[in-house]
Amino acid sequence: MNNAFEQIQQTPAWPLVHAVPDPELAQTVKLTINGQECHLKIEPWVSLLDALREYIGLTGTKKGCDHGQCGACTVMVDGKRINSCMTLAIMKQGCEITTIEGLTKGDELHPMQEAFIEHDAYQCGYCTPGQICSAVALVKEGKANTRDEISELMSGNICRCGAYTNIVDAIMQAKGVMNNE
Ligand code: FES
Ligand code: FES
């Protein structure tokens, strides 16, 4: 077993019952997740979301609708935001995947995470990992230039608690910090 995978396995967010792949159908898939190379034995139909949560134990990425409609499962792949529930893990061989867990530097939060806290931009917090990953990718793409643009481009991320205004405030603030780094 790969060392990086073992390392991630040893530090799950909480104990999980890991999914067990069918040994006859499983294939080895190499993914780079938050800078660590992982070699997973999974069936070819396993979504990236399930690979992250159920095989690796990175449960920060949330499963909301599992149908590409809520954005709770958003992660960055090669810097671009995608719905991981609509993506097969095997299609992302060799790609750089960043989840909410990968945005911190040690104990230091990402400026977007800081801004979400400062602006009370999440309430139940369930949609928040996806909101933050989307927001970081938007800024990195050079978008998020106006409040209207942020609202439009974040519309694939649904928050049922009505924290949208605070989310836009947080993104405007973090954008300034990120662009000055
Ligand atoms: S869980 Fe993927 S979009 Fe809802
Ligand atoms: S904070 Fe987003 S759904 Fe509750």
Side-chain angles (χ1 to χ4, degrees), residues 1-60:
M1 190 183 294
N2 175 272
N3 284 342
F5 180 50
E6 278 179 340
Q7 191 176 338
I8 291 176
Q9 285 276 56
Q10 286 162 7
T11 54
W14 59 79
L16 289 173
V17 177
H18 288 279
V20 179
D22 181 329
E24 290 192 9
L25 298 170
Q27 299 183 18
T28 301
V29 178
K30 185 180 106 177
L31 302 171
T32 303
I33 301 170
N34 300 331
Q36 291 189 312
E37 198 174 283
C38 301
H39 295 253
L40 299 179
K41 277 272 187 196
I42 53 176
E43 296 101 336
W45 55 82
V46 172
S47 71
L48 179 58
L49 174 60
D50 286 344
L52 291 170
R53 289 182 56 88
E54 294 177 30
Y55 288 82
I56 299 177
L58 289 174
T59 53

Side-chain angles (χ1 to χ4, degrees), residues 8-179:
I8 291 176
Q9 285 276 56
Q10 286 162 7
T11 54
W14 59 79
L16 289 173
V17 177
H18 288 279
V20 179
D22 181 329
E24 290 192 9
L25 298 170
Q27 299 183 18
T28 301
V29 178
K30 185 180 106 177
L31 302 171
T32 303
I33 301 170
N34 300 331
Q36 291 189 312
E37 198 174 283
C38 301
H39 295 253
L40 299 179
K41 277 272 187 196
I42 53 176
E43 296 101 336
W45 55 82
V46 172
S47 71
L48 179 58
L49 174 60
D50 286 344
L52 291 170
R53 289 182 56 88
E54 294 177 30
Y55 288 82
I56 299 177
L58 289 174
T59 53
T61 306
K62 297 294 184 270
K63 183 179 280 192
C65 64
D66 210 17
H67 283 87
Q69 292 169 352
C70 73
C73 65
T74 305
V75 299
M76 285 180 274
V77 175
D78 292 338
K80 297 211 177 323
R81 58 203 187 130
I82 61 149
N83 287 341
S84 59
C85 71
M86 299 295 286
T87 306
L88 297 177
I90 202 166
M91 293 165 61
K92 299 303 170 192
Q93 292 250 32
C95 294
E96 292 277 345
I97 296 155
T98 305
T99 69
I100 190 70
E101 291 93 343
L103 290 179
T104 52
K105 286 187 196 146
D107 289 338
E108 194 183 324
L109 294 178
H110 188 280
M112 193 65 75
Q113 293 171 306
E114 297 269 17
F116 266 63
I117 292 170
E118 198 171 313
H119 289 275
D120 198 14
Y122 57 92
Q123 292 174 36
C124 80
Y126 196 82
C127 67
T128 313
Q131 300 270 12
I132 289 176
C133 285
S134 279
V136 169
L138 277 189
V139 173
K140 287 193 169 168
E141 288 165 19
K143 295 173 184 157
N145 293 310
T146 65
R147 296 183 71 87
D148 285 349
E149 190 179 24
I150 292 170
S151 297
E152 173 62 24
L153 294 174
M154 293 293 293
S155 62
N157 290 80
I158 294 174
C159 169
R160 294 165 184 82
C161 312
Y164 288 118
T165 307
N166 305 21
I167 289 169
V168 175
D169 290 344
I171 295 172
M172 293 290 282
Q173 175 180 305
K175 178 185 165 65
V177 177
M178 288 172 66
N179 287 345

